[in-house]
Amino acid sequence: MRLDKLLAEAGFGTRSRVKRLIRKGHVQVNGEVVKDPAYQVEPERDEVLVDGEPVFYEKEYYLILNKPAGYVTSTKDRELTVMELVSDVPRFEKLFPVGRLDKDAEGLLLMTTDGALAHRLTHPKWKVPKTYEVVVEGKLTEEAVEPLRKGIELKDFKAQPAEVEILDSGEEESKARITIKEGKYHQVKRMFASIGHPVKSLKRVKFGSLELGGLPTGEYRHLTDEEVERLREEVKLSPKRS
Ligand code: URA
């Protein structure tokens, strides 16, 4: 690809800005200063430096964010969005969140530029499992959650059988882990509300093979190549990288 295109896509500014950078001699390819913006480079093979700093180029970006409550899962909104939390990533405007987490929900949010992957991960056909930890009102019992395990009729659809594990059961509130393979609006909240235990807080801890782990709230990290490949495999997409 052209050197100016690579630098623009890697977040060094507009095409005209990067052309100026190149013409002024700020850019080296494999140890040589290159002043031609049309110079052809192979991003995977060639070493490109801007003012001596290596250029980190990836066609697609994959981030996992531990979303705090209070942020809207959207690229644009009148309210604070999750984009604020990734705004130091080069080309962050090209990222979009995969699936939705309610404004008051927390936890694992995948953000990527990879449209094919995002589409499949959220398409019902692929039945990607999502695991949530919830705190609900009242004392949860095995009997109470049974309808969720069997599949429960909600107002407009029937939720498929979910895996539910009660983690803690108190008089005032209880904690449970639930895995569903769908992603309807407010689904988990509606499922627990329908058995008489409204959700007080909700956190996604797993999305397909991806796990939130110890990522602090409000922070993100880039996925490893292995994590990307595993996710793509799960929805039968061919490997991205060699
Ligand atoms: N279910 C919900 O009710 N809310 C979410 O944000 C995700 C799943």
Side-chain angles (χ1 to χ4, degrees):
M1 74 194 294
R2 285 174 62 114
L3 182 57
D4 56 355
K5 182 162 192 278
L6 177 139
L7 292 178
E9 291 199 358
F12 285 86
T14 59
R15 261 317 238 283
S16 49
R17 181 171 182 271
V18 300
K19 277 185 181 148
R20 277 200 302 277
L21 268 180
I22 297 166
R23 291 199 178 107
K24 282 185 177 167
H26 290 270
V27 181
Q28 282 177 287
V29 180
N30 301 327
E32 302 282 329
V33 172
V34 172
K35 291 190 172 178
D36 175 10
Y39 187 85
Q40 288 293 315
V41 282
E42 180 65 60
E44 257 93 74
R45 196 194 57 211
D46 294 324
E47 188 189 43
V48 181
L49 306 180
V50 174
D51 293 330
E53 293 294 323
V55 172
F56 174 63
Y57 175 84
E58 271 188 289
K59 187 164 171 358
E60 306 289 11
Y61 275 35
Y62 304 85
L63 310 180
I64 168 174
L65 169 71
N66 186 350
K67 175 193 170 308
Y71 288 79
V72 176
T73 306
S74 169
T75 51
K76 274 201 189 84
D77 201 276
R78 276 174 310 167
E79 297 185 79
L80 212 52
T81 74
V82 290
M83 301 310 282
E84 307 278 339
L85 301 161
V86 295
S87 59
D88 59 341
V89 176
R91 297 195 296 140
F92 84 98
E93 329 72 40
K94 301 223 161 97
L95 286 166
F96 49 85
V98 180
R100 282 193 153 264
L101 270 181
D102 295 338
K103 185 178 168 194
D104 60 358
E106 297 179 41
L108 194 166
L109 185 67
L110 174 64
M111 298 185 74
T112 186
T113 55
D114 183 345
L117 180 66
H119 179 71
R120 291 206 182 176
L121 286 174
T122 49
H123 196 288
K125 173 179 167 188
W126 298 95
K127 297 188 170 57
V128 175
K130 291 152 284 262
T131 303
Y132 301 87
E133 286 181 1
V134 290
V135 175
V136 301
E137 287 180 20
K139 190 171 174 63
L140 268 187
T141 61
E142 296 296 333
E143 197 186 352
V145 300
E146 207 43 40
L148 305 183
R149 292 182 175 140
K150 291 212 166 101
I152 193 165
E153 199 77 50
L154 299 174
K155 211 159 132 204
D156 52 342
F157 82 109
K158 182 168 188 221
Q160 293 306 300
E163 279 173 38
V164 187
E165 190 187 345
I166 300 174
L167 302 174
D168 193 17
S169 182
E171 290 305 323
E172 294 287 306
E173 61 177 39
S174 304
K175 195 169 174 192
R177 190 180 295 129
I178 179 166
T179 302
I180 58 172
K181 292 184 178 168
E182 304 148 285
K184 290 274 200 298
Y185 186 61
H186 289 339
Q187 182 163 340
V188 172
K189 289 177 184 165
R190 289 164 66 198
M191 289 170 77
F192 278 96
S194 74
I195 58 162
H197 292 279
V199 168
K200 295 170 80 173
S201 69
L202 182 146
K203 179 175 190 173
R204 181 155 62 198
V205 293
K206 226 173 154 210
F207 185 49
S209 54
L210 269 187
E211 299 206 39
L212 184 61
L215 187 64
T217 306
E219 299 206 356
Y220 69 81
R221 67 170 175 84
H222 289 267
L223 297 196
T224 63
D225 288 356
E226 292 71 34
E227 285 174 317
V228 172
E229 293 322 337
R230 216 175 314 136
L231 271 183
R232 288 180 60 91
E233 263 173 35
E234 274 181 86
V235 289
K236 307 271 183 296
L237 284 170
S238 53
K240 259 268 168 267
R241 306 164 197 182
S242 51

